[in-house]
Amino acid sequence: MGRYFRNSGLAAFLLATILAGGAMVAWGIFAGFTGVSVVTSWAGGQAREMLQITALGRPVIWLWKSGQNATNEYLSLDRKVIPSGELTHKKSGGIKFIQPRTLAADLTAERTNNFYDWIRGYTNGSVPQKYWYLVREGEALERAYFVGYDSQTSAFVGFLGTGGFRIDQPPPAEQFDLGARSLTGTTATLWAGPYRGMTPNYVGPRDGGGRVAILSVDQLYLLDLASQTVRHVPLAEPVLSIDMTNESEEVDDDVEQEMRVLVRTREHLLLLDWQGETVRTIALPEALIGRDIKIYLPLGPEIVLEQWRGTDVGPPYTHELYWLDAESHVTRRESITLAEGQNMDVPVLRVAICAVPSPAVLAAFGYLLTGAANKDVDLTKVRWRVWNISWRLYSLLCLISAALAVLAFRRQRRYEPRTAPAWAVFVFLLGPAGLLGYLAHRRWPALDDCAACGARVPRNRENCRSCQAEFPAPALLGGEVFA
């Protein structure tokens, strides 16, 4: 068996593969570290811009640049520097920017495999606290309910479903129907979540603690965990997505904030108070219907809406801003493209191709890694995007590998023509490392010109491999000893 393995040539291919793999690993480590250092240094010096809206509704470009010559300044939309004093809001103290809220145009975002998309923790805002957990269940985790426990004794408190508080687990008909959707956009609180760990952060009643909004299909429910009540809010249109925010109002010499539930329907944006009453209805501009938007609530009656779009490979993004008055009329519109940093997918893929210069290995890794990255995305689109970014460099790698395969084919024909095609395929698939493995897997006999046919052939046999003529005996030098 061992003799057949050696004579069949498989041993030679195995040894060459091992040598090529070792060379590929060594080169990958060197090129990877070098490439990452270059990319990190290159990206660190890039100017980056972020769109901000002040408390008074003024759009500002926040420009910063990391590195040795770090800068941090504010620009107008025509990129003129704004003195920080012009942005100071006297009643709020310092420069006050609005935290935007993002509302999706539909509920197609599917649940991820992240644990915190299965279960989330909340507090009821009281002292001592009660912990409430939103738990998904069902074959596809399509239903959810809340279950509460005492924070000090871990005693069971009860359940909350669409029918309100109960001691036993809500039946499926009284559970919140989330379908296959992510919790993002279907649940909302006044504080960030999910929490890192199973103990929710405490948020008091004055901060909106214990208040949760949740969607069931396209219906809105408001939960007060402190009073353990659930309120269904009937609305004229199906709800697409929700969030919570604070609406600011100038009162005397101070700024007061009121909690608002943001509700997105197909054509409107609603601001509700915690009792479920509609405080304000905004008709969306035609251009924003069916698109994800960001909402800013500055001081005064105006509201600012933002919609953005990027290229097929990410940034730069173009931001469309709309200012709407109390009657939903567009009073101002601005469009701006920001330098939000280069898309790191491009240099990272280039480093990967340079670090793994093998068409076969690179294609296999790319296919497997994009498939394992996130099972909830369209893999066809991801792989097509990767190909759009990397096809030029990958094609160059294939051309180089093809040229090396031709060299290996021509060389192998001199030694063993029968195996020349196999070695050419080997070198093409493994690239430069394959050629190194091919050259280093054996000791090569010397080549010399055949006196009969003139072909340059190996001299490790008695006759010419090309014309089968016998090689002449070496000339005697006179010092030979014949036994």
Side-chain angles (χ1 to χ4, degrees):
M1 183 69 181
R3 180 179 299 176
Y4 171 79
F5 182 73
R6 290 191 298 272
N7 294 338
S8 65
L10 295 178
F13 279 101
L14 178 60
L15 178 58
T17 302
I18 295 174
L19 293 172
M24 200 176 302
V25 170
W27 171 255
I29 294 174
F30 170 76
F33 277 108
T34 304
V36 168
S37 300
V38 172
V39 169
T40 303
S41 175
W42 170 80
Q46 297 293 308
R48 303 195 177 194
E49 299 175 338
M50 179 181 292
L51 182 64
Q52 301 276 8
I53 304 295
T54 69
L56 298 178
R58 180 179 181 180
V60 173
I61 300 173
W62 182 21
L63 170 67
W64 81 96
K65 184 177 181 180
S66 59
Q68 185 175 1
N69 299 319
T71 59
N72 184 11
E73 55 189 6
Y74 300 100
L75 310 177
S76 61
L77 294 187
D78 56 1
R79 286 183 167 72
K80 294 181 180 179
V81 177
I82 303 175
S84 59
E86 293 185 15
L87 301 176
T88 302
H89 186 246
K90 61 181 180 180
K91 295 184 179 180
S92 60
I95 301 176
K96 180 70 173 180
F97 293 115
I98 304 171
Q99 179 67 33
R101 299 295 180 181
T102 302
L103 290 180
D106 53 46
L107 290 174
T108 58
E110 295 185 354
R111 172 185 52 81
T112 66
N113 291 324
N114 190 317
F115 174 78
Y116 295 101
D117 215 358
W118 297 355
I119 181 171
R120 290 194 183 184
Y122 307 86
T123 67
N124 67 344
S126 64
V127 180
Q129 303 177 68
K130 290 183 175 61
Y131 295 156
W132 287 88
Y133 297 95
L134 176 61
V135 181
R136 303 182 76 143
E137 72 166 21
E139 293 184 4
L141 301 178
E142 72 279 6
R143 302 188 308 274
Y145 55 82
F146 288 81
V147 57
Y149 297 91
D150 187 276
S151 64
Q152 296 184 343
T153 64
S154 298
F156 169 73
V157 175
F159 294 92
L160 288 172
T162 58
F165 178 82
R166 55 190 301 154
I167 295 299
D168 56 334
Q169 180 175 320
E174 292 189 15
Q175 296 180 12
F176 300 100
D177 188 351
L178 303 179
R181 298 168 297 178
S182 168
L183 291 181
T184 301
T186 57
T187 60
T189 63
L190 275 183
W191 60 92
Y195 302 101
R196 297 302 176 188
M198 291 307 297
T199 302
N201 297 333
Y202 174 71
V203 179
R206 294 182 60 183
D207 301 317
R211 295 175 177 180
V212 182
I214 186 171
L215 287 183
S216 181
V217 189
D218 55 9
Q219 299 297 306
L220 175 65
Y221 290 84
L222 302 180
L223 285 72
D224 191 331
L225 301 181
S227 62
Q228 300 173 175
T229 58
V230 179
R231 180 189 300 111
H232 172 239
V233 181
L235 297 171
E237 298 178 78
V239 180
L240 299 180
S241 55
I242 59 174
D243 207 334
M244 285 193 186
T245 189
N246 286 318
E247 186 177 23
S248 302
E249 182 181 3
E250 289 184 294
V251 178
D252 298 331
D253 292 330
D254 199 1
V255 175
E256 295 185 356
Q257 294 184 331
E258 290 288 340
M259 185 185 67
R260 296 289 182 251
V261 180
L262 290 173
V263 176
R264 170 79 182 271
T265 67
R266 182 182 181 277
E267 298 181 354
H268 295 90
L269 177 67
L270 309 178
L271 273 66
L272 310 182
D273 61 20
W274 189 245
Q275 286 68 43
E277 300 295 330
T278 302
V279 177
R280 186 175 176 186
T281 301
I282 299 101
L284 295 175
E286 186 69 26
L288 299 184
I289 295 177
R291 296 182 177 273
D292 297 349
I293 57 174
K294 288 183 179 180
I295 297 95
Y296 301 83
L297 296 179
L299 292 169
E302 282 195 325
I303 186 172
V304 183
L305 304 179
E306 176 190 348
Q307 189 267 322
W308 63 99
R309 61 181 185 276
T311 65
D312 291 338
V313 294
Y317 293 98
T318 299
H319 300 255
E320 301 284 348
L321 294 173
Y322 298 80
W323 282 258
L324 278 65
D325 60 18
E327 286 74 35
S328 302
H329 297 143
V330 177
T331 59
R332 181 183 176 188
R333 180 176 176 178
E334 298 283 354
S335 178
I336 184 171
T337 300
L338 301 180
E340 295 165 281
Q342 298 294 327
N343 184 8
M344 296 304 293
D345 289 348
V346 176
V348 166
L349 280 174
R350 289 173 178 170
V351 169
I353 293 175
C354 293
V356 188
S358 163
V361 175
L362 198 61
F365 278 5
Y367 185 86
L368 295 175
L369 291 178
T370 53
N374 192 338
K375 296 182 180 179
D376 297 310
V377 300
D378 189 337
L379 297 183
T380 302
K381 291 183 178 179
V382 172
R383 287 165 180 155
W384 182 250
R385 180 168 177 251
V386 171
W387 173 250
N388 282 338
I389 295 173
S390 59
W391 72 269
R392 294 179 179 84
L393 195 56
Y394 186 77
S395 299
L396 178 61
L397 174 61
C398 289
L399 289 176
I400 294 174
S401 298
L404 297 179
V406 171
L407 294 178
F409 178 81
R410 296 180 63 181
R411 177 183 176 86
Q412 185 63 21
R413 284 187 62 185
R414 298 173 180 173
Y415 295 95
E416 185 63 53
R418 182 174 56 88
T419 60
W423 281 112
V425 173
F426 176 86
V427 172
F428 174 76
L429 293 178
L430 297 185
L435 180 64
L436 180 62
Y438 163 70
L439 294 176
H441 84 282
R442 60 169 291 184
R443 291 184 178 181
W444 297 94
L447 296 175
D448 200 1
D449 295 333
C450 175
C453 66
R456 192 168 181 79
V457 292
R459 295 299 299 266
N460 61 338
R461 48 188 296 165
E462 294 181 355
N463 57 345
C464 174
R465 181 178 292 278
S466 178
C467 66
Q468 305 303 318
E470 291 189 3
F471 292 125
L476 299 179
L477 300 177
E480 292 81 7
V481 178
F482 297 96

